[in-house]
């Protein structure tokens, strides 16, 4: 079998999520007599992959993505022992047991990237002997339950909220307490953090923050609530003194008054009449050099945020304002989406922010 990249998607929108009658992927085709399989990348959606232990037809496989299938501990064990070159493993919306152990027995795992997302009822994962692991993505119900055993510490984390899950780990207060209080202890070497922000109120942001000593890039996804926008941003800046780049996807939920104020600014009103905050209430940041604000619609609070960052980031070099958002799909993929029917014009953004931005900062409007 000379194929190196193979993707099969058998998901039908009219099918249920039942995994009882899945197409059984013919793995044996990769172990034909006298031929060495060259398959490197395999992506299966709504297919069953049940390879036997120590199967030798997938020795070259470096990336495996499974979606909408059923996995048990034996399946996972056989995959990891039969794929010694596996570096990229993604399990998305799969039926799994409550607990999974990722191990290849007596060998070291070569995994560099692992994604586990919406795999019910999975809530606890142990990763053994993953000496090269660099990136992990998982959702809120596993906060504090991704355990590394004799493994490297990842430098990149992506943590995604599941707001429709009624579990203790999905409680906003529990999430924020973990992210700003414990996460930096569990993953002390993390340099890049992508975080879907929970639906929180100001009073449940922890008063005592744990420092991310090495965090250099932070991306906050799906920031929705106006009332916590500035306090949440300030809390993360305080917790990450080494931060160099901050990205925020703003998808703010506005009440009628917020919408009216935004409309006035979009139509050319003076922002100063709607200014919300005294910037002196927020501490300065000594390392931040680049800021990217996406989903910028022209609300007063968004201008407050931009001004706060410009004024309080001492070494800021670049601020990029983008009027679309780019929701994160996982595994490094995003897509672009408009969220406002009436966009604020670049000229109006420049009119408001221009006088606030020092000449040392490159203001980019898109």
């Amino acid at each position: 079998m000379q194929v190196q990249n193979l993707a099969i998607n058998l998901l039908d929108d009219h099918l249920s999520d039942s995994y009882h009658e899945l197409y059984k992927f013919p793995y044996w085709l990769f172990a034909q007599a006298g031929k060495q399989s060259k398959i490197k990348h395999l992506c299966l959606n709504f297919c069953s992959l049940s390879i036997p232990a120590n199967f030798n037809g997938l020795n070259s496989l470096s990336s495996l993505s499974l979606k909408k299938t059923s996995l048990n501990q034996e399946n996972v064990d056989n995959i990891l022992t039969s794929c010694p070159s596996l570096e990229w493993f993604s399990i998305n919306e799969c039926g799994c047991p409550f607990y999974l152990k990722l191990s290849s027995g007596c060998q070291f795992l070569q995994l560099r990237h692992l994604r586990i997302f919406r795999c019910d009822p999975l809530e606890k994962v142990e990763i053994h002997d993953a000496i090269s692991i660099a990136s992990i993505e998982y959702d809120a119900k596993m906060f504090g339950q991704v355990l590394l055993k004799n493994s490297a510490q990842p430098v990149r984390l992506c943590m995604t909220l599941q707001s429709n899950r009624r579990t203790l780990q999905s409680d906003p207060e529990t999430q924020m307490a973990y992210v700003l209080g414990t996460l930096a202890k569990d993953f002390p070497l993390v340099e890049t953090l992508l975080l879907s922000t929970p639906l929180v109120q100001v009073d449940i942001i922890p008063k005592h923050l744990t420092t991310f000593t090495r965090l250099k890039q932070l991306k906050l996804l799906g920031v929705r609530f106006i009332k916590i926008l500035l306090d949440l941003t300030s809390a993360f800046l305080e917790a990450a003194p080494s931060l160099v780049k901050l990205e925020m996807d703003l998808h703010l939920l506005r009440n009628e008054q917020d919408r009216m104020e935004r409309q006035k600014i979009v139509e050319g009103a003076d922002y100063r009449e709607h200014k919300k905050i005294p910037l002196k209430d927020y501490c300065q940041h000594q390392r931040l050099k680049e800021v990217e604000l996406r989903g910028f619609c022209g609300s007063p609070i968004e201008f407050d945020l931009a001004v706060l960052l410009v004024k309080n980031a001492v070494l800021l070099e670049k601020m990029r304002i983008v009027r679309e958002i780019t929701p994160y799909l996982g595994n490094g993929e995003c897509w672009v989406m408009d969220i406002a029917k009436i966009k604020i014009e670049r000229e109006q953004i420049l009119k408001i922010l221009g006088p606030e931005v020092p000449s040392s900062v490159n203001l980019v409007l898109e």
Side-chain angles (χ1 to χ4, degrees):
M1 179 71 72
Q2 302 302 308
V3 175
Q4 293 189 19
N5 302 282
L6 180 61
I8 299 178
N9 182 2
L10 299 180
L11 183 63
D12 189 316
D13 291 338
H14 300 290
L15 294 176
S16 68
D17 286 339
S18 173
Y19 304 130
H20 297 298
E21 298 182 359
L22 294 176
Y23 168 72
K24 294 182 179 180
F25 180 73
Y27 60 85
W28 53 87
L29 295 178
F30 295 100
Q32 293 179 351
K35 294 184 179 181
Q36 180 67 37
S37 170
K38 294 184 179 180
I39 186 74
K40 292 184 177 180
H41 309 287
L42 180 60
C43 180
L44 301 178
N45 190 351
F46 220 65
C47 300
S48 173
L49 180 64
S50 299
I51 60 178
N54 300 312
F55 176 69
N56 63 3
L58 297 173
N59 290 335
S60 299
L61 192 69
S62 62
S63 73
L64 175 62
S65 176
L66 301 176
K67 184 175 182 180
K68 293 283 187 180
T69 189
S70 179
L71 289 171
N72 57 34
Q73 186 64 61
E74 182 180 1
N75 297 145
V76 173
D77 289 342
N78 292 346
I79 289 171
L80 295 177
T81 55
S82 301
C83 305
S85 302
L86 194 64
E87 296 182 353
W88 182 288
F89 191 22
S90 176
I91 310 172
N92 195 4
E93 298 180 63
C94 294
C96 295
F98 177 84
Y99 163 82
L100 274 180
K101 176 182 178 181
L102 304 188
S103 171
S104 62
C106 59
Q107 300 179 351
F108 288 116
L109 288 175
Q110 299 303 313
L111 282 181
R112 296 185 59 81
H113 172 78
L114 173 67
R115 173 176 169 82
I116 302 175
F117 182 65
R118 289 185 178 175
C119 294
D120 291 332
L122 181 63
E123 291 190 9
K124 183 176 181 180
V125 174
E126 286 190 5
I127 305 169
H128 289 252
D129 304 316
I131 59 175
S132 301
I133 193 74
S135 172
I136 301 177
E137 302 187 4
Y138 62 101
D139 51 42
K141 64 193 181 82
M142 293 193 294
F143 278 9
Q145 298 297 315
V146 176
L147 309 178
L148 298 169
K149 306 289 185 179
N150 193 32
S151 297
Q153 281 286 340
V155 295
R156 177 186 179 275
L157 289 178
C158 176
M159 309 174 71
T160 306
L161 169 71
Q162 290 179 269
S163 58
N164 62 329
R165 308 286 168 144
R166 295 183 178 181
T167 65
L168 177 63
Q169 289 85 354
S170 291
D171 171 69
E173 185 171 3
T174 301
Q175 291 178 31
M176 290 308 298
Y178 175 71
V179 170
L180 289 171
T182 306
L183 179 62
K185 298 176 183 177
D186 288 349
F187 299 101
L189 302 186
V190 64
E191 297 180 1
T192 300
L193 175 62
L194 289 78
L195 178 70
S196 172
T197 54
L199 309 181
V200 299
Q201 306 297 324
V202 176
D203 59 357
I204 65 170
I205 296 176
K207 294 181 180 180
H208 303 288
L209 310 176
T210 301
T211 301
F212 291 88
T213 57
R214 300 199 179 194
L215 188 62
K216 295 180 175 63
Q217 182 173 353
L218 172 64
K219 182 173 181 178
L220 298 178
L221 309 167
V223 181
R224 297 183 182 181
F225 278 99
I226 288 179
K227 64 186 302 183
I228 63 119
L229 179 61
L230 302 181
D231 292 275
L232 186 67
T233 304
S234 181
F236 275 106
L237 291 178
E238 182 180 347
S242 298
L243 194 67
V244 175
K245 183 175 182 179
L246 172 65
E247 302 176 57
M248 299 178 70
D249 262 356
L250 306 175
H251 197 172
L252 302 178
L253 301 178
R254 301 172 179 85
N255 58 30
E256 186 61 31
Q257 181 180 353
D258 296 326
R259 286 191 287 270
M260 290 176 61
E261 290 185 340
R262 173 190 173 273
Q263 186 63 32
K264 290 178 181 178
I265 289 180
V266 168
E267 293 174 353
D270 190 344
Y271 153 70
R272 289 172 296 182
E273 297 178 3
H274 303 278
K275 192 172 182 178
K276 301 290 185 182
I277 60 160
L279 298 181
K280 64 182 180 179
D281 291 348
Y282 296 89
C283 63
Q284 291 188 329
H285 196 280
Q286 304 297 323
R287 300 283 185 88
L288 190 63
K289 293 184 177 182
E290 185 175 351
V291 170
E292 188 168 306
L293 303 179
R294 287 189 289 271
F296 199 94
C297 296
S299 294
I301 194 67
E302 294 171 346
F303 282 106
D304 285 348
L305 175 64
V307 172
L308 181 152
L309 292 169
V310 165
K311 299 295 185 182
N312 290 8
V314 178
L315 298 181
L316 191 65
E317 297 176 355
K318 180 180 179 180
M319 173 172 282
R320 182 170 174 241
I321 305 291
V322 184
R323 291 170 295 170
E324 294 85 20
I325 64 171
T326 52
Y328 186 67
L329 302 179
N331 294 326
E333 297 182 3
C334 300
W335 64 290
V336 177
M337 180 176 73
D338 285 333
I339 60 173
K341 294 181 179 179
I342 303 176
K343 288 185 179 181
I344 185 171
E345 296 295 333
R346 293 187 182 92
E347 292 75 14
Q348 179 66 353
I349 298 176
L350 184 60
K351 175 184 174 183
I352 293 173
L353 289 184
E356 306 286 350
V357 178
S359 59
S360 59
V361 177
N362 179 21
L363 179 61
V364 179
L365 307 178
E366 297 181 9

